[in-house]
Amino acid sequence: MRNARSPLAATIRQNSGFLGAIILLLVLYLIYNLLHPRGFSAALLIQNTNESVAIVFLAMAQTVPVLLGGLDLSVGAIMTLTNCVASVVVSGSPQQILLGMVVTLATGTAFGVANGLIVVYGRLQPIIATLATGAIAVGLALFIRPAPGGTVDDDISWALTNDLYELVDTYGWFDADAAWFSSFAWVPVPLLIVIVIAFGVWLPFKHTITGRTVYAIGSAEGAAYMSGLNLDRAKIAAFTLAGFFAGCAGLYLAIQTSSGNADITQAGAYTLNSIAAVVVGGTSLLGGVGGAIASLVGALVLRVISFYFRIVSIDPLLQPLVEGLVLLAAVSLGAFRTLRVKNQLALFR
Amino acid sequence: MKIAIPSLKSEDKPIFIASGFILVILSVGTVYTLSTQGTAPLLSPGYLLQQLQTGSFLGIVAAGMMVVILLGHIDLSVAWTMTAAAMMATTVGGDLAIPVGIAIGVGVGLVNGFGVAYLRVPSMIFTLGVDSVLRGLMVAHTGGFAPQDSATPLMRALASSKLMGIPSAIFVWLAVSLVIAIMLKRTAFGRQIYLTGNREMAAYLSGVRTRRVILASFVVSGVCAAMAGVMLAGYSARAFQGMGNAFLLPAIAAVVIGGTRILGGQGRYAGTLVGVILIVLLNSVLSIMQMPEAGRQVIYGSVIICMLLVYGRGNKVQS
C-alpha cells in the first residue's frame, strides 16, 4: 500500500458532498448576517432557528425512509396531526405538560409504526402507502381541531423558543445572572433541542445493526437479505423513527405558534419541502447514501436562502419564482454527474 | 398442446375488484339516501352523468399521469401546469386561448422531460421544482390575485355544455382516453413506454431511445394536465390561484387503484378509468352523506390502503 492515506483524509473524501453543504450553509449564513442590519445578534439567531426547527425535523424524518429507497409522503401530515394533538394536551401543571409532550411524541411514533407495519406486512410501496396514511393523519387532525386554535402553556412556549437565559429565568432553576452562566446564556434553546435530538437519537441509531441494515437495504435489498439481516425490523424501525422526528416537528410547531392548525395545504407543502431538503443535503433518493445530519444541513440551506428575501430588496411578487428557481437549480446540480460518467449504461438504474 | 384456460390475468384483477367496489359504493350510497330521503339519486342517469362531468377533469389528468407512472417516474407538476394553462388561456382569450393553454402543457412537459431524461434528476424532485417555478411565474403574472379575464365561449362549451343530453366534457375525456389507450396498446411508442418502465437499461440496449421516450411521456402528461386546466377554467368560467391543487393526489391514487405499478412497467388504461370513476363516486357519496372533511380524508386513505392490500402487494424479497 503506497500512499497510505490518513483516516481523516479518507473521511473528508468520503463525505465531500456533506462538507460542501456545510461550507455552503456557513458562507450563506455569514453573508446573510453581514447584509442584515441586525446581523450577528443573538436575537436574529433565535428568530432564525425558531423558523427552521419544524422543517429541520421533517427533513430528518424524511431521510430515514429515503435511505431505504422509499419515500414517506406522510411526514407533513404526521406533523400536522401531532401539532393538533399537542395543542390539546400540552397545558396545565408541569406534570401534565410533560405528559402531554410525551403523548404527542408517542402519537407521531405510533403513526410511524403503523406506516412501517403497512409497508412491511402489507408489502405496499412506501410512497403510495404513506400517501394514503397521510390522508388518514390529516383527517384525524381535522377531527381533533376542525378550526385552528387551541392553547399551549405560555411559560413553555416562551422558554423553549428563546435563549437559555429565558429558559433558566422562566423556571428559576438557578440564578440566571450568575457569572459562569453568562458566557453561553445567549444560546437559542431551539438550536439545542435540534442538536440534542439529532445527535442523541440519529447518530446512536445509525450505528446499531438496525441502522446499518437501513443503509444496506437502500444499497441492495437482495444482498441485505442474503446476508441474514433482519429487513422487516429495519424497515419498521425506519418508519418509526420518521414518525418520531415528525412528531418532534409537530410538537415544536405547536409550542412555537401556541396553537394547532389542521391545514392540508401546509401538510403537503411541508412534505414536499422535506424531500427537497433531503436532496439538497446530499442524500440519494435511490437509497443507501446520506444521513439525517446531512438533511439537517440541507433544510437549513433552503431556509437561509428564503431568509435572504427579507433583506434583499426584491419584489414580493417575484419571491415564489426565485424560490422555485433556486430549488430547481439546487436539484439540477446533481446533473453534473451525468457529464462525468464514462459508461452511458451507468446512467440507467 | 396446451389449451388456454380463460383465467383472470393478474393485470385484470385490479380492474374487476375496483369495479366491484364501485358497485359497493353505489349500493351503500343508495341505501343511505333511501333510508334518509326516500329517494335514490345515485342511480339516476342525470346525476351519474353530472358526476362524470366533474370527474372528467380528474380523468384527463390521470390519463397523462398514468403514462409517466408507467415509466416508473411521477409528475408532481400537474397542479400548477393546470393552473398555468388555464390562466394563460384566459389571459390570451379569443381563438388562441386553447392552443396557448395546450402549448403551456407542451412547454412544461419538455422541461420536465429534459430534466428527468437528460439531466437524470429524479422525477420526484425535478417536477416538484418545476411546479414551484410555475407557481412563482403565475403569482408574478397575476399579482397573487385571481385574474379578471374570463374563459372564452369555446372553453365554456367544452366544459359545461351538453351534446345529445350528455355533457361534452365526457366526450373530451373519452377522446383523450381513446388516444391514450390506443397509444399504449397499439403503437411502438406505447410498447416502448412499458419496456422502458420495466428496465430502462434493457430497453436502451435493445435500441429504444429511452431518453426520447421519457421526454415524450412527460409532454403527454403536460398536455393532459393543460387540457384539464383549460376545461376546468371553462367549467368555473375563470382561472384562479391553486385551481389544480386538488387534482394531484387523487390523480396518482386513481392510477394506482387501477392497478398500475408505481414502479412502472405494468398497468392497463382501463384500470385508470375505473380508478377515476371509483374516486369520483366515492367523493360524491361522501358529500351526499354530508361527511365532514375529516371523515372524508380518513375514509379516502383507508379505501386506498384496503384496495392495495387486496391486490397491490409486492413480492417478498427472496434473493
Side-chain angles (χ1 to χ4, degrees):
Chain A
M1 287 276 278
R2 276 180 333 128
N3 275 342
R5 295 189 175 105
S6 70
L8 180 66
T11 313
I12 291 176
R13 206 174 54 252
Q14 282 166 3
N15 296 299
S16 58
F18 176 54
L19 290 174
I22 287 188
I23 291 170
L24 178 68
L25 172 66
L26 291 180
V27 169
L28 278 175
Y29 199 61
L30 185 72
I31 299 175
Y32 171 73
N33 271 297
L34 287 173
L35 293 174
H36 198 284
R38 289 188 293 121
F40 300 109
S41 69
L44 183 66
L45 186 63
I46 290 172
Q47 187 197 344
N48 289 344
T49 44
N50 262 319
E51 288 165 336
S52 313
V53 171
I55 187 64
V56 162
F57 274 133
L58 270 201
M60 285 164 54
Q62 185 68 261
T63 312
V64 201
V66 165
L67 284 175
L68 282 175
L71 266 180
D72 188 342
L73 293 186
S74 68
V75 287
I78 298 180
M79 182 194 78
T80 306
L81 172 64
T82 47
N83 176 15
C84 292
V85 170
S87 73
V88 173
V89 296
V90 182
S91 57
S93 69
Q95 288 80 19
Q96 284 172 324
I97 290 176
L98 204 61
L99 184 68
M101 290 165 86
V102 171
V103 167
T104 306
L105 293 181
T107 309
T109 312
F111 214 92
V113 174
N115 273 339
L117 291 177
I118 290 175
V119 166
V120 168
Y121 295 108
R123 296 211 295 271
L124 300 184
Q125 278 302 317
I127 172 170
I128 199 73
T130 52
L131 180 75
T133 55
I136 297 177
V138 168
L140 294 176
L142 277 167
F143 268 122
I144 297 171
R145 207 151 273 305
T151 48
V152 171
D153 185 72
D154 285 337
D155 277 353
I156 196 141
S157 181
W158 172 257
L160 290 189
T161 54
N162 274 289
D163 53 17
L164 273 180
Y165 180 88
E166 297 292 346
L167 176 68
V168 171
D169 197 39
T170 308
Y171 290 103
W173 287 337
F174 52 82
D175 182 15
D177 291 311
W180 61 271
F181 185 59
S182 60
S183 58
F184 48 90
W186 58 273
V187 175
V189 179
L191 186 68
L192 280 183
I193 296 176
V194 167
I195 289 177
V196 164
I197 295 196
F199 289 88
V201 176
W202 167 250
L203 281 190
F205 171 77
K206 185 182 166 183
H207 292 289
T208 60
I209 291 180
T210 309
R212 304 310 302 169
T213 308
V214 169
Y215 279 84
I217 294 174
S219 303
E221 189 167 357
Y225 175 81
M226 293 309 269
S227 313
L229 296 172
N230 192 335
L231 304 193
D232 292 354
R233 190 173 65 193
K235 285 183 183 174
I236 293 173
F239 282 96
T240 307
L241 203 56
F244 171 75
F245 283 139
C248 293
L251 176 61
Y252 193 82
L253 205 61
I255 289 173
Q256 186 193 352
T257 60
S258 282
S259 64
N261 182 5
D263 185 341
I264 298 179
T265 324
Q266 176 192 285
Y270 263 103
T271 304
L272 297 180
N273 282 330
S274 75
I275 303 175
V278 166
V279 172
V280 170
T283 298
S284 163
L285 284 183
L286 299 177
V289 181
I293 307 295
S295 303
L296 185 158
V297 176
L300 287 177
V301 167
L302 289 181
R303 284 308 291 157
V304 172
I305 289 173
S306 64
F307 292 155
Y308 269 85
F309 293 124
R310 301 186 192 147
I311 47 167
V312 181
S313 57
I314 182 170
D315 187 349
L317 287 177
L318 291 179
Q319 215 164 297
L321 178 60
V322 178
E323 266 178 295
L325 286 174
V326 167
L327 176 62
L328 202 55
V331 300
S332 302
L333 282 181
F336 285 115
R337 179 179 69 96
T338 57
L339 301 177
R340 280 203 309 249
V341 168
K342 295 199 180 76
N343 182 353
Q344 285 274 306
L345 283 177
L347 290 178
F348 308 119
R349 278 166 289 165
Chain B
M1 218 173 96
K2 241 173 94 177
I3 299 165
I5 306 161
S7 65
L8 221 51
K9 276 194 295 183
S10 68
E11 279 199 334
D12 294 330
K13 205 170 128 197
I15 303 176
F16 280 101
I17 296 177
S19 310
F21 196 73
I22 290 178
L23 296 180
V24 172
I25 293 174
L26 278 180
S27 43
V28 168
T30 307
V31 167
Y32 177 83
T33 52
L34 276 178
S35 62
T36 53
Q37 300 150 17
T39 54
L42 271 174
L43 299 182
S44 74
Y47 180 84
L48 284 178
L49 282 177
Q50 192 200 337
Q51 290 307 313
L52 287 182
Q53 181 185 10
T54 50
S56 59
F57 313 118
L58 176 63
I60 296 172
V61 178
M65 181 67 84
M66 181 194 175
V67 175
V68 175
I69 291 184
L70 277 177
L71 284 171
H73 290 292
I74 202 160
D75 186 353
L76 295 183
S77 69
V78 290
W80 280 90
T81 309
M82 287 176 73
T83 313
M87 281 182 171
M88 294 323 287
T90 53
T91 306
V92 172
D95 292 337
L96 278 176
I98 295 181
V100 164
I102 304 291
I104 299 283
V106 174
V108 173
L110 284 174
V111 174
N112 279 335
F114 178 75
V116 176
Y118 292 89
L119 296 184
R120 293 275 140 189
V121 182
S123 56
M124 192 93 202
I125 190 78
F126 194 84
T127 54
L128 177 63
V130 169
D131 191 58
S132 47
V133 168
L134 283 173
R135 183 171 65 96
L137 282 173
M138 287 305 112
V139 169
H141 169 66
T142 60
F145 300 105
Q148 291 306 307
D149 317 283
S150 58
T152 61
L154 181 60
M155 282 160 69
R156 292 184 198 204
L158 269 180
S160 47
S161 75
K162 286 192 173 180
L163 203 67
M164 297 178 295
I166 297 173
S168 45
I170 296 182
F171 286 111
V172 180
W173 182 19
L174 278 181
V176 171
S177 299
L178 265 181
V179 170
I180 300 276
I182 292 174
M183 183 190 87
L184 287 180
K185 200 82 190 170
R186 299 277 170 216
T187 66
F189 173 58
R191 303 321 295 174
Q192 287 170 352
I193 290 177
Y194 282 92
L195 190 52
T196 309
N198 263 313
R199 190 163 283 270
E200 185 172 0
M201 195 187 282
Y204 177 81
L205 288 176
S206 349
V208 176
R209 293 179 171 171
T210 56
R211 288 192 175 95
R212 290 191 194 179
V213 173
I214 296 175
L215 184 72
S217 302
F218 273 98
V219 171
V220 170
S221 170
V223 168
C224 284
M227 278 181 73
V230 168
M231 285 175 58
L232 190 62
Y235 186 69
S236 38
R238 58 194 302 203
F240 50 92
Q241 300 283 341
M243 60 194 284
N245 289 356
F247 286 84
L248 173 62
L249 296 186
I252 300 175
V255 173
V256 174
I257 285 181
T260 302
R261 213 158 65 104
I262 193 86
L263 298 179
Q266 194 184 29
R268 290 184 51 197
Y269 185 74
T272 302
L273 217 52
V274 174
V276 171
I277 295 174
L278 191 153
I279 284 186
V280 168
L281 288 182
L282 183 63
N283 268 333
S284 76
V285 167
L286 289 181
S287 54
I288 284 181
M289 291 179 169
Q290 293 173 342
M291 182 69 70
E293 182 66 24
R296 271 170 188 248
Q297 294 283 338
V298 171
I299 293 178
Y300 199 64
S302 314
V303 165
I304 297 178
I305 292 271
C306 293
M307 303 286 295
L308 291 179
L309 282 180
V310 175
Y311 55 72
R313 286 157 63 89
N315 297 322
K316 207 167 164 60
V317 174
Q318 295 291 3
S319 62

